[in-house]
Amino acid sequence: MSSTFIGQKLRLSIFGQSHSAAIGMTLDGLPAGIEIDPDELQHFLNRRAPGQNDWSTPRKEEDRPDFLCGLKDGFTCGAPLTAVIHNNNTRPKDYSQLKITPRPGHADYTAEVKYRGFQDYSGGGHFSGRLTAPLCIAGGIVRQELRRHNITVDARIAAIAGIRDESAFEASVADKAFPVVDDEIGEQMRAAIQNAREDGDSVGGVIECVVRGLPVGVGEPMFDGVENQIARLIFAVPAVKGIEFGAGFEAAELRGSENNDPFLVKDGRIETAANHAGGILGGITNGMPVVFRAAVKPTPSISRAQQSVNLTTMEPQELRVTGRHDPCIVPRAVPVIEAAAALAVYDLILGESIWN
Amino acid sequence: MSSTFIGQKLRLSIFGQSHSAAIGMTLDGLPAGIEIDPDELQHFLNRRAPGQNDWSTPRKEEDRPDFLCGLKDGFTCGAPLTAVIHNNNTRPKDYSQLKITPRPGHADYTAEVKYRGFQDYSGGGHFSGRLTAPLCIAGGIVRQELRRHNITVDARIAAIAGIRDESAFEASVADKAFPVVDDEIGEQMRAAIQNAREDGDSVGGVIECVVRGLPVGVGEPMFDGVENQIARLIFAVPAVKGIEFGAGFEAAELRGSENNDPFLVKDGRIETAANHAGGILGGITNGMPVVFRAAVKPTPSISRAQQSVNLTTMEPQELRVTGRHDPCIVPRAVPVIEAAAALAVYDLILGESIWN
Amino acid sequence: MSSTFIGQKLRLSIFGQSHSAAIGMTLDGLPAGIEIDPDELQHFLNRRAPGQNDWSTPRKEEDRPDFLCGLKDGFTCGAPLTAVIHNNNTRPKDYSQLKITPRPGHADYTAEVKYRGFQDYSGGGHFSGRLTAPLCIAGGIVRQELRRHNITVDARIAAIAGIRDESAFEASVADKAFPVVDDEIGEQMRAAIQNAREDGDSVGGVIECVVRGLPVGVGEPMFDGVENQIARLIFAVPAVKGIEFGAGFEAAELRGSENNDPFLVKDGRIETAANHAGGILGGITNGMPVVFRAAVKPTPSISRAQQSVNLTTMEPQELRVTGRHDPCIVPRAVPVIEAAAALAVYDLILGESIWN
Amino acid sequence: MSSTFIGQKLRLSIFGQSHSAAIGMTLDGLPAGIEIDPDELQHFLNRRAPGQNDWSTPRKEEDRPDFLCGLKDGFTCGAPLTAVIHNNNTRPKDYSQLKITPRPGHADYTAEVKYRGFQDYSGGGHFSGRLTAPLCIAGGIVRQELRRHNITVDARIAAIAGIRDESAFEASVADKAFPVVDDEIGEQMRAAIQNAREDGDSVGGVIECVVRGLPVGVGEPMFDGVENQIARLIFAVPAVKGIEFGAGFEAAELRGSENNDPFLVKDGRIETAANHAGGILGGITNGMPVVFRAAVKPTPSISRAQQSVNLTTMEPQELRVTGRHDPCIVPRAVPVIEAAAALAVYDLILGESIWN
């Protein structure tokens, strides 16, 4: 497996399975002297944590990071920073059938083949959405540090089940239990989630993320551009099946004269009149907000009957997934997307050399 | 800059500027003993090459790779493979104004800041679409080798200017001058391109790519999954602003019961009844075709007047981009997407260990 | 910091400080299905552990790895393998003076500058020799796996304080409390260590390591050769100041006709008549044992008075290092060298592609 | 193969075979705006070039780098820098026998196995010492840039055939045809080389390198320390079989009280009274000169009869290596060591982040 993100400076190692003794992360390459505000971090983690409201799984985990090393008096000390979350509310018996009857839309089958039967299938093992918790520890810390440099990373629900919130995304919605801009549309989304739950089904959605305050010149052409780097990290989030920057797929339908963002001078600074480029030209930030959207598929774990195959007999077998599942993971995925984006841009900034 | 792709096994270094003496690539990590069919490679490169038809720039370059090393009697010898294309039809004078008046939608401004005035702005320098030629050399070679293992990588135009070819993509369209499945729709697309040209404007589009024949189990969870890897390489192609796998952004509007692909047994093999997952579950191939689409923005170089800024005076300045430009790069980008996809999957396969 | 080894396939992240809550490691990239024999691993770790005999520090740590994840029923499951060792016998008060008066020969001063005062100076922090324990967890597991493929990794004390054991190194000395081939010479070495201890001083030595059973063809030319890879890992062991392969520095005094190892055929296999090359030609294994020696400097922590500087006043200051220290770390470093060597060669083997 | 050095910021790709159309290098990650003095670079390359005096091979190559891209008006432009040297004095017929009768001490046999017969065996192919020319292009450029920051990288012959120049190494010997400090000892070395030549034999030696002017705090603990990084690059130089830093193997015979370098204050700066540490503590520079020595084995190509094996018949076969060879490559390897060392330290400096 390659659960180690190798960035320009950061190396983020994420470890754990859904039902192992602990899950966690080591973040190596963080400068010394970064303060970690534990309350703010906990608030960030709570936004992702399950069991807090009606649209998420009733499994309750506190998601309290236990820092094993890398900190001294609340500041990073230059050594790798490791935090673990102990798994204490595991119910491995829920998953015993999945080794021979893989869940559609899940990694059960591909893991069975790849790891030749040795994988830890309980709760999805290392493929579980639970592994986004350590990603949020790393990203939450980095997001704090970015804000100290006046760089903000904020995401919101842009759509659920086809219901779109097309309001402008000006201010953070991090304090909302349901992170949309337009709460009325949010109500419609929640109703759609509730309907899906009642049908033993699930829905997906789109998350939009905006990074403000980046200087001009972050990123590189070709393989280490801002888009490459963000995409590489965002596709580490389970269930993401697409990403677009700025106008994205819509840009493909525009003419150049519409899609090109005219340059202008505002307050003595170069800006662009629109932001179809999503803040990125040639892989490099242009000083405008970096904007992207990620498509999140509907949660594959649904209680409705589905068609699978018994891998032992190679006969068709109907499957009903039991256990605790979110009918929609989009709300909880919002801070995860922020975490991944924060790591992406922070690492690119750290990669800028003192001698450049 | 980071124009070196560091894969599991492959290291691809792409070098050159639009108007430097040569552009080229070094592909390191290729096994010894791979045959290169030069005619097939040239055919592949010609699909990308400019100046061949009415919808592309009249700049003519032969794009003939000159292999400096790494080959012995037509087979790779284990040493790094380097090929260059000499630039002999350069007209640097076309671009002299761009250093102080950046083109909207281009990297002129971001490069000026990042490289503090030292960048080679002629013809877009290292940011030029011309640098996709060496990517095609590398990818064209790898695509040949994949086919020897019955793995095919084929792309097609899925949409241009909002005109969509929704025909099933069953067979390669590599031999078509205009690579669509439905030629009638292709005619409409070409008309849209022609209209844009006449308006001194440009159009974008969507390219779909299908990789068939991959075994189950290629890729890794988290940061080195098939989606991460393909996305990282596809965003190295200039003008790509989005990517989606399988049902992609549409999946975000489906329910789980619709989006999950039921497992079934066919000819003794596990397959899925649909392919919303685009052949990837948990970052790992499931044996179905890997399918993705890339959004290509309209060519930013248009001859219509655009608003820019004079970086010296910081005054607004109208800009008319002269020189030779495609009103639509989508047709020529089709083999580029194939090249990037071929490199992505081949590298993941090479990364599979003998001892795994 | 960069405490993450990025190999061909393996990513080894080592974390912890001398007196943090825990130290540990995550090994990512290990194939699924590798059995871990916990007793053998504990025996391996005990060879490194302190407090077990008269030549090492009286600080007692059990060095029992607690596996947090990556294992299922005693076999690796494909997910990252994380193990921690809880620090429960820490005495941070011993080290309070070192932040302002750096110990000669230690990283106190360089860490103070690099981490701008934020480093964890207690017990040497992340620079402590204690961090070789997690290296031994990773290496010990890999060494077990290599032996299942008939590849053995064995080290021995070749010299201490200038007293050399020049006996041929044919069989493992892993079961000896003092790992030399010639026990009489070992007695002399122990006497030299005892003398140093009585003088409040320390001694260094040389460790030789032999890897037997490697196939021909492991490694690569240039930057990823066997020598590069082993050296990169061996210099991660604190106190190592030199490495040589085969005849090494002595080769520099030989003639080509003496140093070249003639080829011959033995039992139908190509061998060499001597092994001045240390089993490596052009960075690639030639089927002979891989042999190298590492120079270990005398432990810098000595109780004798030493000259240092008070970093606050910039005045000279005499320093007497208190606390618990080995007068010679060479015996305990023997398994550490084995661990680093095992990781180096195993990773190179894993890097060999199924399609090569 | 992995002939791509992946540093903190730099990616150096070296390509070519002894008798391919060209050899060369791409250096990616170099900041924009670095001036290249072509005369000084040529002087540097000439120090390595063959055919210039009585102790080196009569093969004459001009070793003139042809810069294909990455430069604009004599300054780096931020894009990858590629330079090639065309091979025009190749005599491939010299080497036809080596595929079936490998030369002792060479990579012929290991390459034959690894590349399954596809390798380019002419002149040693990619394993040829000729490939150090592109390393010197990269290193020569970087060494110029370091000197602009008052960091100097200088090497000298410390020993040949056991004859040692133990003079202090205070000033560069780069302008000497035979780069020793003590010319009288140099004469003895040259006599030893001449003797070896007359005997159809060869001799090796030791090269010492000193890097002065590095700030305190360059490098990292564990896997990316200064020693790890330098060793990784130095072992890319063919024929190097050992490396030691500071007191190195001699430190292994000292006591801690002798080997520890006392701290003192000089001109308001922290220094050490001696430099047994070779300027490195805990993998990090301490502000003293970085000093290391590399052991170079005697050139394996000798004209005396040697014992080999016919790989086709598996019968013993006597081999006489014809062609043009240096009886001692140590003098020509001096700038190669400087090049590798310059790349190592420059990359570590570039890796220091603006935000650190």
Side-chain angles (χ1 to χ4, degrees), chain A residues 1-2 114 164 199 201-202 217 219-220 224 227-228 232 241 243 245 253 255 257 260 277 300 306 352, chain B residues 1-2 114 164 199 201 217 219-220 224 227-228 232 241 243 245 253 255-257 260 277 300 306 352:
Chain A
M1 283 201 188
S2 247
K114 186 163 194 84
R164 300 178 190 203
D199 295 347
D201 214 330
S202 64
E220 309 267 346
D224 290 330
E227 288 124 331
N228 309 248
R232 182 153 61 122
K241 295 301 279 189
I243 190 169
F245 293 86
E253 306 192 3
R255 282 191 159 194
S257 57
N260 285 350
Q306 294 182 87
E352 296 292 317
Chain B
M1 285 201 187
S2 247
K114 186 163 194 86
R164 299 179 191 203
D199 296 347
D201 215 330
E220 310 268 346
D224 290 330
E227 287 125 330
N228 309 250
R232 182 153 62 122
K241 295 301 279 187
I243 189 168
F245 293 86
E253 306 192 1
R255 282 193 159 192
S257 57
N260 284 350
Q306 295 182 86
E352 295 293 317

Side-chain angles (χ1 to χ4, degrees), chain C residues 114 199 201 217 220 255 257, chain D residues 1 114 199 201 217 255 257:
Chain C
K114 186 164 194 86
D199 296 347
D201 214 330
E220 310 267 345
R255 281 192 159 193
S257 57
Chain D
M1 284 203 187
K114 187 165 193 83
D199 295 346
D201 215 330
R255 283 192 158 193
S257 58

Side-chain angles (χ1 to χ4, degrees), chain A residues 8-227:
Chain A
Q8 305 279 318
K9 277 296 278 187
L10 299 178
R11 284 90 175 89
L12 171 62
S13 170
I14 288 184
F15 51 84
Q17 298 110 248
S18 184
H19 294 162
S20 59
I23 60 176
M25 67 98 222
T26 295
L27 185 55
D28 187 16
L30 218 47
I34 291 183
E35 191 171 1
I36 298 180
D37 179 328
D39 296 331
E40 184 185 327
L41 180 61
Q42 194 59 56
H43 173 75
F44 186 73
L45 295 174
N46 289 346
R47 290 171 58 201
R48 192 214 71 88
Q52 311 205 46
N53 43 48
D54 57 325
W55 57 83
S56 75
T57 162
R59 171 174 173 175
K60 271 202 199 299
E61 292 282 357
E62 289 230 343
D63 278 2
R64 294 219 162 259
D66 180 8
F67 285 94
L68 300 183
C69 53
L71 279 183
K72 189 169 161 55
D73 306 330
F75 290 81
T76 58
C77 68
L81 182 72
T82 299
V84 298
I85 297 172
H86 296 280
N87 278 331
N88 35 39
N89 185 12
T90 61
R91 294 196 291 175
K93 66 173 149 36
D94 282 352
Y95 298 90
S96 47
Q97 74 184 103
L98 304 178
K99 188 173 155 56
I100 51 171
T101 315
R103 292 169 295 177
H106 265 287
D108 300 333
Y109 170 58
T110 54
E112 173 75 15
V113 173
K114 186 163 194 84
Y115 305 112
R116 304 181 316 283
F118 289 101
Q119 82 278 12
D120 181 3
Y121 47 83
S122 299
H126 189 60
F127 295 81
S128 166
R130 180 137 180 72
L131 271 293
T132 56
L135 186 67
C136 282
I137 298 174
I141 290 166
V142 159
R143 187 167 168 267
Q144 290 185 14
E145 176 66 3
L146 285 168
R147 214 188 38 222
R148 284 183 203 111
H149 291 83
N150 297 315
I151 297 168
T152 58
V153 182
D154 289 294
R156 59 127 166 202
I157 301 172
I160 278 183
I163 302 161
R164 300 178 190 203
D165 180 2
E166 296 187 332
S167 331
F169 185 26
E170 304 292 352
S172 171
V173 292
D175 289 328
K176 294 191 183 185
F178 195 84
V180 282
V181 173
D182 183 330
D183 294 328
E184 283 186 39
I185 290 176
E187 280 307 308
Q188 298 171 34
M189 292 173 177
R190 291 170 73 162
I193 296 172
Q194 190 55 30
N195 284 345
R197 177 199 295 279
E198 286 162 10
D199 295 347
D201 214 330
S202 64
V203 289
V206 175
I207 295 171
E208 186 178 58
C209 185
V210 180
V211 186
R212 289 189 170 84
L214 286 170
V216 188
V218 174
E220 309 267 346
M222 297 228 177
F223 303 110
D224 290 330
V226 178
E227 288 124 331

Side-chain angles (χ1 to χ4, degrees), chain C residues 68-90:
Chain C
L68 300 183
C69 54
L71 278 182
K72 188 168 160 57
D73 307 330
F75 290 82
T76 58
C77 68
L81 182 73
T82 300
V84 298
I85 298 172
H86 296 280
N87 278 331
N88 35 40
N89 183 12
T90 62

Side-chain angles (χ1 to χ4, degrees), chain B residues 24 84 90 99 120 135 177 197 209 213 227 329 331 348:
Chain B
V84 297
T90 61
K99 190 173 154 55
D120 181 2
L135 187 67
R197 177 198 297 278
C209 185
E227 287 125 330
I329 58 159
L348 287 175

Side-chain angles (χ1 to χ4, degrees), chain B residues 248-286:
Chain B
F249 277 88
E250 198 192 304
E253 306 192 1
L254 300 178
R255 282 193 159 192
S257 57
E258 298 166 309
N259 188 61
N260 284 350
D261 303 315
F263 287 110
L264 53 83
V265 177
K266 192 169 163 186
D267 303 333
R269 259 173 40 112
I270 306 280
E271 294 195 359
T272 57
N275 192 15
H276 294 92
I280 307 163
L281 289 172
I284 300 173
T285 55
N286 67 0

